[in-house]
Amino acid sequence: MTPLASDRARYDRATAHLDAPLAVVDLDAFDANADDLVRRAGGKPIRVASKSVRCRALLERVLARDGFSGLMSFTLAESLWLARAGFDDVLLAYPSADRAAYAELAADPKLAGAVTVMVDDPAQLDLIDAARDGGREEIRVCLELDTSLRMLGGRVRIGALRSPLRDPAQLAELARSVTRRPGFRVVGLMAYEGHVAGVGDAVAGRPLRSRAIRLMQAAARRELTGRRAAVVRAVRAVAPGVEFVNGGGTGSVQHTAAEDAVTEIAAGSGLYQPRLFDNYTSFSGRPAALFGQPVVRRPGVGVVTVLGGGYPASGAAGADRLPVPYLPEGLRYDAQEGPGEVQTPLLGSAADDLLIGDTVWFRHAKAGEMCERFAELHLVEGDRVTATVPTYRGEGRTFL
């Protein structure tokens, strides 16, 4: 029996008493992935990206491990919810326009002490002040640096369109704006190099493209290392109380951790190891999060149909954003249908060994987005489900 066949047998035994569709997290794989992230971080703490997990029980599990400290959230409402639940260090990774949530933050000393908001424009400070509704608590602020690689005099840009702040002078000026303004304090800097951390450099069957990506990423790391250090010096000269400098992502943990200017690493997807993180030369994780769909039809030789399964990931539309049939091995989509809203035909010789009611296991393209489709996760250890825990959705929380 191959290792994948053995995993399939384990998952089938563990969930034999449950009806699909369902989602599982293999805790042995989850913990092994966590250990590997810590190893790659080389002693620097890892701040867990909550959007990549979207389950409070698993956030608590990973934060209880050595090497992890704090959360990186994705909306202000989520940040407040997590802080109320006892998470005492929550960095909001994106600017917000949630006026009601800002009013809550400014009125509650516990929340204001636990949550740090993201800012890259003085207009965001204006919005927060206008939303305070009498609240007088000091707001903790993190400034975001644009990490994109600019080439050919700026005519070519590689990297996400995030912060407009690029050079040390711009960041220092915004830091001055914050420090001069009552009710705010600069406590952090963030720089997410998504073109390094979130782009695989070993694309299957594409050696030339893979080499080009590696060359681009090496150039991006060199450029950003110097610029990030200069930005940190400039901001600390204005705001010496900066507590942290956050950088990285699952795909760049070891590279970002090597920078002296960086004090902590952000990561989350590597805990679940979705399919978009398979194509890296620097690390190899174990798939930990899977969803199972039941076989409901056998249309013909070499074909089965499962219920549902059309769960594309966010980002530019393409085949790489689709979940993949994982277990049993040897299944593929029908090119004319793909994964469907209510049914998904699957082709391949493995289909002939599947019976009505059997489970086909899939891997999602991205990490936490799977949890938007399921109210609970069944936690598997060996060949048993040892706990069932709610996702954000299962707790009635759909933040985006």
Side-chain angles (χ1 to χ4, degrees):
M1 184 179 290
T2 67
L4 286 181
S6 177
D7 283 342
R8 180 197 173 200
R10 286 197 301 114
Y11 300 141
D12 285 349
R13 285 196 298 271
T15 60
H17 61 296
L18 301 170
D19 288 328
L22 78 169
V24 302
V25 170
D26 185 329
L27 290 181
D28 292 335
F30 182 91
D31 291 344
N33 292 338
D35 287 341
D36 190 61
L37 287 170
V38 171
R39 177 190 62 79
R40 292 166 57 207
K44 290 189 176 177
I46 297 170
R47 184 181 291 274
V48 183
S50 64
K51 77 177 182 65
S52 300
V53 179
R54 303 194 201 201
C55 170
R56 282 201 299 157
L58 290 177
L59 291 174
E60 291 167 353
R61 182 184 183 91
V62 71
L63 285 175
R65 303 175 69 87
D66 290 340
F68 293 88
S69 180
L71 292 178
M72 177 177 281
S73 58
F74 59 96
T75 75
L76 184 54
E78 179 212 13
S79 304
L80 302 187
W81 179 64
L82 290 170
R84 288 194 178 96
F87 296 94
D88 60 4
D89 180 6
V90 184
L91 169 62
L92 175 59
Y94 307 89
S96 175
D98 188 338
R99 293 173 175 81
Y102 277 131
E104 292 181 54
L105 180 66
D108 189 319
K110 176 185 175 182
L111 297 180
V115 175
T116 301
V117 304
M118 193 63 60
V119 169
D120 59 30
D121 190 315
Q124 294 155 353
L125 302 175
D126 295 338
L127 187 148
I128 296 170
D129 266 339
R132 283 180 180 270
D133 194 27
R136 297 179 178 273
E137 295 299 323
E138 184 176 66
I139 305 300
R140 293 167 54 86
V141 170
C142 180
L143 311 181
E144 183 171 3
L145 165 68
D146 168 39
T147 66
S148 63
L149 176 64
R150 305 284 181 87
M151 299 183 294
L152 300 178
R155 293 190 296 276
V156 175
R157 173 195 175 105
I158 301 174
L161 289 164
R162 291 178 63 111
S163 171
L165 306 176
R166 180 167 181 80
D167 60 52
Q170 290 175 311
L171 272 295
E173 182 55 37
L174 182 57
R176 287 189 194 93
S177 296
V178 176
T179 57
R180 292 170 181 163
R181 195 160 186 155
F184 295 91
R185 178 162 55 99
V186 177
V187 299
L189 282 164
M190 187 186 85
Y192 171 58
E193 54 270 35
H195 50 302
V196 179
V199 178
D201 62 353
V203 185
R206 304 287 297 277
L208 294 180
R209 176 175 174 78
S210 297
R211 177 167 173 73
I213 291 172
R214 288 194 289 273
L215 291 172
M216 175 276 290
Q217 291 179 338
R221 290 195 299 269
R222 287 192 300 270
E223 187 275 336
L224 181 58
T225 296
R227 184 158 55 90
R228 179 154 39 198
V231 165
V232 172
R233 289 193 298 271
V235 171
R236 286 192 186 279
V238 176
V242 168
E243 300 169 8
F244 63 86
V245 178
N246 181 281
T250 288
S252 68
V253 169
Q254 68 274 27
H255 301 299
T256 309
E259 294 184 33
D260 291 337
V262 174
T263 66
E264 63 176 37
I265 311 300
S269 294
L271 295 168
Y272 283 171
Q273 188 63 21
R275 63 167 295 210
L276 280 177
F277 286 83
D278 285 349
N279 302 319
Y280 287 82
T281 56
S282 59
F283 75 100
S284 178
R286 291 172 53 183
L290 310 172
F291 65 89
Q293 306 294 117
V295 174
V296 292
R297 286 177 168 161
R298 292 172 50 87
V301 176
V303 186
V304 292
T305 301
V306 298
L307 184 69
Y311 308 151
S314 60
D320 65 337
R321 301 291 152 164
L322 300 179
V324 289
Y326 180 54
L327 302 172
E329 297 177 82
L331 295 173
R332 66 184 187 279
Y333 293 124
D334 179 349
Q336 295 186 59
E337 294 195 44
E341 178 186 8
V342 287
Q343 71 164 35
T344 297
L346 297 170
L347 313 180
S349 59
D352 293 330
D353 295 324
L354 290 169
L355 304 176
I356 299 294
D358 284 351
T359 300
V360 175
W361 296 97
F362 292 77
R363 295 176 64 200
H364 204 280
K366 297 183 79 172
E369 291 186 20
M370 181 189 81
C371 294
E372 296 297 328
R373 299 287 184 166
F374 295 91
E376 56 192 20
L377 299 173
H378 302 286
L379 307 184
V380 174
E381 296 182 75
D383 61 358
R384 295 187 305 118
V385 169
T386 56
T388 297
V389 295
T391 61
Y392 280 12
R393 174 177 171 172
E395 294 198 69
R397 305 289 174 167
T398 51
F399 295 107
L400 281 177

